[in-house]
Amino acid sequence: MPDDLRDPKPVKIRCDACPVMCFIADGKSGACDRYANHAGELVRLDPLTVIQSGAKAVAFLDQSNNAQDWDGDVIQGGRDFVTAVGAGTTYPDYKPAPFIVSQEVDGIDMVTVVTEGIFSYCGVKVKIDTDRHIGEERAVVRAEGEAIGHVMTSEYGSKMLSLGGVEHLTGGSKKEGRATCDALLRLCNRERVEVTIDGGVTMVIEAGKAPIINGTPEKLMRVGCGSATIGMFAKQWFGHVDEVV
Ligand code: SF4
């Protein structure tokens, strides 16, 4: 078939919302899954609920009569610019936050800066209050069957999990990254998350609640070693026992 009769190669568009600058083919999303190419147009995939509320927003680029491409000017001094922790966008970034929303709540000006920080480097350290063996140190912790972290060094008698981090969020498959991100978000929003540990237990963990280990809610655990028993709890023992050894 002559070249000029072949389907034209689909044009990729370039997202410039962060320094990764993905080239995105039609029907695909960029590396962060936030932006996609929909019939040649760059579209957002996640709703920004603050924006949808109708609150006044400052667009990253002027979209109206003065529409323009970003010229590399970091602060665009000709317009209001919020400087604050979190006012940048993705790390390591040189652009202002793409969405800045202001609204008045009970007579107070509120400014919300949506930083759009990608989750790549985020992690969570989870303290499991139990005396039980949950798995060997370094054992892989899984959610939805995907590796999301590992068992790390115990601290003060509690078992500790290290979850997330760049290797699980972006270093593995997309499924692994999504399962990791989902587990971290749910834990940080105080929701229940079920995890399994390779060669160890299945646990339901939730911030502020005792862990449920292999179906049994944990009730008690030792709180310290012998010296802690005397050094920290002498007052509580006093009057109940003659001697603590
Ligand atoms: S915002 Fe997402 S899609 Fe856009 S360049 Fe960055 S990683 Fe790629």
Side-chain angles (χ1 to χ4, degrees), residues 123-128 141 143 148 161-164 179-195 203-208:
V124 167
K125 198 170 173 183
V126 183
K127 176 170 165 282
I128 310 287
V141 179
I148 64 165
L161 307 180
S162 172
L163 306 182
T180 304
C181 187
D182 182 60
L184 296 186
L185 280 176
R186 285 193 288 138
L187 282 173
C188 293
N189 284 321
R190 308 182 77 84
E191 293 174 27
R192 293 156 60 100
V193 173
E194 182 176 291
V195 296
M203 289 191 294
V204 177
I205 51 180
E206 183 178 351

Side-chain angles (χ1 to χ4, degrees), residues 15 17-18 20-22 24 30-32 34-35 118:
C15 174
C18 92
V20 177
M21 304 282 272
C22 295
I24 310 174
C32 66
R34 292 178 304 155
Y35 292 90
I118 298 181

Side-chain angles (χ1 to χ4, degrees), residues 26 49 64 69 78 83 114 125 142 159 163 175 183 196 198 206 224:
D26 189 16
T49 52
S64 55
D69 278 340
T83 56
V114 182
K125 198 170 173 183
R142 296 180 188 276
K159 307 297 186 292
L163 306 182
K175 191 163 174 239
T196 55
D198 285 3
E206 183 178 351

Side-chain angles (χ1 to χ4, degrees), residues 12-44:
K12 291 184 176 179
I13 56 175
R14 190 158 204 190
C15 174
D16 69 351
C18 92
V20 177
M21 304 282 272
C22 295
F23 284 105
I24 310 174
D26 189 16
K28 303 283 185 197
S29 59
C32 66
D33 274 352
R34 292 178 304 155
Y35 292 90
N37 178 347
H38 179 64
E41 195 184 337
L42 190 68
V43 295
R44 281 198 63 86

Side-chain angles (χ1 to χ4, degrees), residues 37-59:
N37 178 347
H38 179 64
E41 195 184 337
L42 190 68
V43 295
R44 281 198 63 86
L45 293 177
D46 307 316
L48 266 173
T49 52
V50 179
I51 300 279
Q52 287 178 339
S53 73
K56 190 174 161 227
V58 179

